[in-house]
Amino acid sequence: MTYTKEQLGERFEQLPEEVQEAIIAVETAETVSRIGSKYTLHIDQIGELADEIGLVMLGLVKSEVFVTHIIARLGLDRVIADAIAREVNEQIFLKI
């Protein structure tokens, strides 16, 4: 599903402060970039991964479908997608 900037902004404003901070933190962007590089993702794939992570953090996408979504959006196989999701969970989601 596609969301407008207004919808994303409204949802962002409803989040607890610590989640808002995690979404905009440079650390989060660096972590996404580092994970993308580790799995030799192209820059556009890293952008798609970052978008999907953001949607989960905003509560617009359930974490249960995260792997399925990154398989579809990034064109990855299940093994790589599972490994990426595990790292995202450990390094980003569990911190908030």
Side-chain angles (χ1 to χ4, degrees):
M1 180 174 196
T2 305
Y3 298 95
T4 66
K5 288 183 181 182
E6 292 78 22
Q7 289 171 314
L8 296 173
E10 287 173 15
R11 183 65 185 138
F12 180 81
E13 292 300 322
Q14 296 170 357
L15 295 173
E17 188 175 327
E18 58 272 4
V19 178
Q20 289 180 3
E21 289 174 6
I23 289 173
I24 62 174
V26 172
E27 261 181 47
T28 303
E30 290 172 346
T31 300
V32 173
S33 181
R34 197 170 41 253
I35 292 169
S37 294
K38 177 178 179 179
Y39 292 95
T40 61
L41 299 180
H42 297 283
I43 190 75
D44 59 322
Q45 290 175 304
I46 294 172
E48 293 289 330
L49 177 61
D51 288 348
E52 198 62 34
I53 291 168
L55 292 174
V56 171
M57 292 173 81
L58 287 168
L60 296 170
V61 170
K62 294 182 185 271
S63 60
E64 297 85 38
V65 297
F66 180 67
V67 172
T68 305
H69 282 209
I70 62 173
I71 288 170
R73 287 183 74 167
L74 282 64
L76 302 174
D77 67 31
R78 165 84 49 191
V79 174
I80 299 297
D82 282 339
I84 290 172
R86 191 170 29 261
E87 290 203 34
V88 168
N89 190 46
E90 292 169 359
Q91 298 179 36
I92 297 174
F93 295 154
L94 289 178
K95 290 184 177 182
I96 49 175

